[in-house]
Amino acid sequence: MELYNTLALLIVVAAVFGYINYRFLKLPGVIGLMILALVSSLLAIGLGKLGVDWVLKAGELVRGIDFHTVLMDVMLSFLLFAGALHVDVGALGRQGVAIGTMATVGILLSTFLIGTAFYYLLPLFGQPIDYIYCLLFGVLISPTDPIAVLGILKEARIDKSLEIRIVGESLFNDGIAVVVFISLFQIAQFGAERATPEVIGRLFLVEAVGGIVLGALLGYVTYWALRTIDNYQVEVMITLALVMGGTALATALHTSGPLAIVVAGLIVGSKGRQQGMSDITREYLDKFWEILDEILNAVLFVLIGLEMLILDISRTTLLVGVVSIGLVLVARWVSVGVPLVLLKRFYPFDRQTLRVLTWGGLRGGISVALALSLPESMPRDLLVGVTYVVVIFSIIVQGLSIGPLVKRLGLSTAPPTDGSTGSSSH
């Protein structure tokens, strides 16, 4: 019943906040939900200090939720599949080299820049830590979050070629970041001698390449199954089995589940939807994944807000976090700009594109989940607190302003939609 009560609490809170936001605040859905959850958490912290009993119990309930496991092992695959299902694979292929370079070279460059700047920043606040922990912070804060990006860009009505570049990068860079995070984590835990180039190379081969190959295999098997029948209930169930079974199989094979599900989702979303489904199946499949996506998105952003109940962010951590916002944005600008300059002959871009790619690179749940996975033996509280400050700024400030920025730069294809939101259709 413990798990059931936790899920019930999250769904009820998400539904109540969703209603309040849609009826009164009219903010983009994921942002409105997170703001309401944050405000509620801060009010609850105040009531908790006054000794209000039910608030203390709510805090215990939130403390019992393993955010890292819930997002990385349970929710992420569903959210990535729902996002990948509607990506234009042809457009993605045309931008493939740029997206691949930003998701690999960009992540490595960003990790080094943020980690190095963070290392020299912390002593100024009396919080010096080892360089390896600074690099760990650099890699966990570098990936743009596909969940936040997909949900918010839908409302920004951004130019399609630019949208596909941002979405494509965000779908792939979290898988690459997780591989780099695991490598640095092993160095931090066991020392550099245990994490040789050979070990890291093998890890990348198994995790990243293995994940992509597994995803392609699962995607084509699913496509074949969808082509051979015409029954929307069974076909929707097959896609559900793909996500759940594929994630479990990827975990058993020690490959990247997120990359496997993204690749499988792209194949099912292009070949499967176009050649393997009737119109009625396509309609039911889209609606099923859209609703599931909306619910999980709502729960995730409420959970991010509620985590404030149990985080202990000191004034120093808050100040470091505020300065780190600037570091992360500068590193994002450089790590996007360098690959684009290198590829300028093939993928021409202008300053406006670079601005949108920089400001539209939102950080979200993946950064929080990676930070929360750090053990107490590392400077966990500092890294979690700073990560939280950067993520909240990214989702609320950047998320609310990316639409107006796109419009002001003349890169919007249509006027923004109303208060409804989601992260599924493109």
Side-chain angles (χ1 to χ4, degrees), residues 310-361:
I310 55 170
L311 291 181
D312 186 18
I313 299 178
S314 67
R315 189 175 296 175
T316 305
T317 304
L318 188 63
L319 286 171
V320 173
V322 170
V323 178
S324 297
I325 291 167
L327 293 183
V328 170
L329 284 171
V330 170
R332 170 71 182 166
W333 180 74
V334 175
S335 62
V336 167
V338 168
L340 287 180
V341 167
L342 292 174
L343 296 168
K344 195 169 184 180
R345 251 182 76 191
F346 312 100
Y347 301 94
F349 76 100
D350 52 26
R351 275 189 194 168
Q352 293 171 324
T353 301
L354 185 55
R355 279 183 200 164
V356 174
L357 283 168
T358 302
W359 197 248

Side-chain angles (χ1 to χ4, degrees), residues 30-49:
V30 291
I31 300 175
L33 285 169
M34 201 178 89
I35 289 173
L36 286 167
L38 279 170
V39 170
S40 301
S41 295
L42 293 171
L43 287 172
I45 289 166
L47 291 171
K49 289 189 189 301

Side-chain angles (χ1 to χ4, degrees), residues 180-229:
V180 180
F181 179 83
I182 293 168
S183 304
L184 289 171
F185 185 81
Q186 287 182 349
I187 294 171
Q189 223 170 14
F190 306 117
E193 64 278 357
R194 290 277 294 275
T196 60
E198 185 193 343
V199 170
I200 292 170
R202 191 163 60 241
L203 179 72
F204 181 81
L205 199 66
V206 173
E207 280 272 341
V209 179
I212 290 168
V213 171
L214 177 64
L217 185 66
L218 292 171
Y220 277 105
V221 168
T222 305
Y223 162 62
W224 173 83
L226 295 173
R227 268 191 71 182
T228 53
I229 61 169

Side-chain angles (χ1 to χ4, degrees), residues 138-170:
V139 71
L140 69 85
I141 206 68
S142 288
T144 54
D145 192 303
I147 302 151
V149 168
L150 285 162
I152 290 161
L153 281 189
K154 182 189 173 186
E155 302 214 345
R157 300 287 180 174
I158 197 168
D159 174 73
K160 280 291 170 189
S161 65
L162 188 51
E163 181 190 358
I164 205 78
R165 203 176 285 187
I166 299 174
V167 170
E169 180 206 1
S170 68

Side-chain angles (χ1 to χ4, degrees), residues 2 21 33 35 67 100 112 153 168 181 194 269 302 318 320 338 376 397 400 405:
E2 189 85 14
N21 180 55
L33 285 169
I35 289 173
F67 186 100
F112 172 74
L153 281 189
F181 179 83
R194 290 277 294 275
V302 163
L318 188 63
V320 173
V338 168
E376 295 292 343
V397 179
L400 283 174
L405 174 67

